[in-house]
Amino acid sequence: DTGVSQDPRHKITKRGQNVTFRCDPISEHNRLYWYRQTLGQGPEFLTYFQNEAQLEKSRLLSDRFSAERPKGSFSTLEIQRTEQGDSAMYLCASSKDRISYEQYFGPGTRLTVT
Amino acid sequence: AQSVTQLGSHVSVSEGALVLLRCNYSSSVPPYLFWYVQYPNQGLQLLLKYTTGATLVKGINGFEAEFKKSETSFHLTKPSAHMSDAAEYFCAVSDQNKLVFGAGTILRVKS
């Protein structure tokens, strides 16, 4: 078990372009979470999956954001028509099937929108 | 909704001194509480967690935290700071199916 992995680690894009990030969770974990972290702040919840079902989305997740977890394995987070305000670290985490279980975080994808 | 307040965005201690990082939470239900550490350009690593049972929780790298319901606090301590402890620390509380994080405290360790 190599932990949670994310790809890419860094992404620089121009405003208006679309970007997609990938997260591979720990294999036996049913839950997968996406968080966003901006400079000087703690991570903020975006969305989470229980297996392949997306069960909760934050109001931070505008219509330009979409997340999927096909077959309950890896997940992708797509941002369409990026804006400078989207620049942040996007963190993925996974856990077993209860909130009391700890969430294991990946290294994050740092997005810079120019 | 649940919330977390971390008092002090920056804390500076000398090597070998006591580390105390403060966390207060707001929760309408019995909380699950977590402390995470983040090194530059890395993800978050779990230090310790409180779910139920013993209120003094021991974690990795010599850290511990005490859940005090009456004070709605979950402060993180370590008896003797090491240079390698320099990092950013986040307190988090469970909120239904997600974690709510504080703004973080950057710990500086002076030699």
Side-chain angles (χ1 to χ4, degrees):
Chain A
D1 186 355
T2 57
V4 179
S5 62
Q6 292 186 246
D7 184 70
R9 293 291 307 276
H10 304 273
K11 179 70 176 178
I12 300 173
T13 191
K14 293 184 177 180
R15 187 179 55 175
Q17 297 296 305
N18 299 343
V19 295
T20 300
F21 310 141
R22 177 181 171 124
C23 170
D24 287 89
I26 294 172
S27 58
E28 66 267 26
H29 286 181
N30 296 324
R31 293 191 173 196
L32 186 147
Y33 308 80
W34 285 98
Y35 291 84
R36 181 173 70 185
Q37 185 179 21
T38 53
L39 197 62
Q41 298 297 319
E44 295 175 292
F45 171 78
L46 293 178
T47 188
Y48 101 94
F49 293 83
Q50 173 88 20
N51 298 312
E52 67 275 10
Q54 187 175 18
L55 297 183
E56 187 174 346
K57 295 193 292 186
S58 162
R59 54 184 165 76
L60 293 176
L61 211 66
S62 75
D63 291 344
R64 296 184 297 106
F65 288 69
S66 63
E68 295 181 342
R69 192 183 182 195
K71 302 179 182 179
S73 56
F74 69 93
S75 176
T76 58
L77 177 67
E78 180 183 17
I79 309 174
Q80 296 182 328
R81 305 181 303 282
T82 53
E83 301 172 356
Q84 287 190 322
D86 297 331
S87 296
M89 176 78 87
Y90 289 85
L91 294 165
C92 176
S94 69
S95 74
K96 293 183 180 179
D97 197 15
R98 284 169 57 184
I99 187 59
S100 59
Y101 286 112
E102 51 265 39
Q103 296 182 19
Y104 291 86
F105 282 80
T109 294
R110 181 167 295 284
L111 173 65
T112 302
V113 182
T114 62
Chain B
Q2 274 65 281
S3 65
V4 173
T5 301
Q6 291 185 239
L7 298 176
S9 58
H10 292 78
V11 170
S12 183
V13 301
S14 297
E15 192 173 19
L18 171 72
V19 175
L20 171 61
L21 304 181
R22 300 179 186 274
C23 172
N24 288 88
Y25 69 91
S26 171
S27 178
S28 56
V29 298
Y32 299 136
L33 295 159
F34 305 80
W35 274 100
Y36 283 85
V37 61
Q38 186 177 35
Y39 297 97
N41 297 313
Q42 294 187 27
L44 281 71
Q45 180 184 9
L46 181 71
L47 283 176
L48 49 79
K49 68 174 183 178
Y50 169 79
T51 54
T52 58
T55 56
L56 182 63
V57 180
K58 294 185 183 300
I60 62 171
N61 301 337
F63 285 93
E64 61 182 37
E66 186 171 11
F67 170 61
K68 292 188 176 180
K69 183 178 178 181
S70 62
E71 299 178 6
T72 61
S73 70
F74 190 57
H75 301 330
L76 182 71
T77 61
K78 182 174 180 177
S80 176
H82 191 272
M83 297 297 290
S84 62
D85 295 327
E88 189 163 17
Y89 292 79
F90 293 95
C91 181
V93 64
S94 57
D95 182 359
Q96 297 184 359
N97 296 298
K98 60 185 178 290
L99 294 179
V100 175
F101 287 86
T105 297
I106 294 174
L107 175 65
R108 179 190 171 205
V109 182
K110 299 176 291 186
S111 59

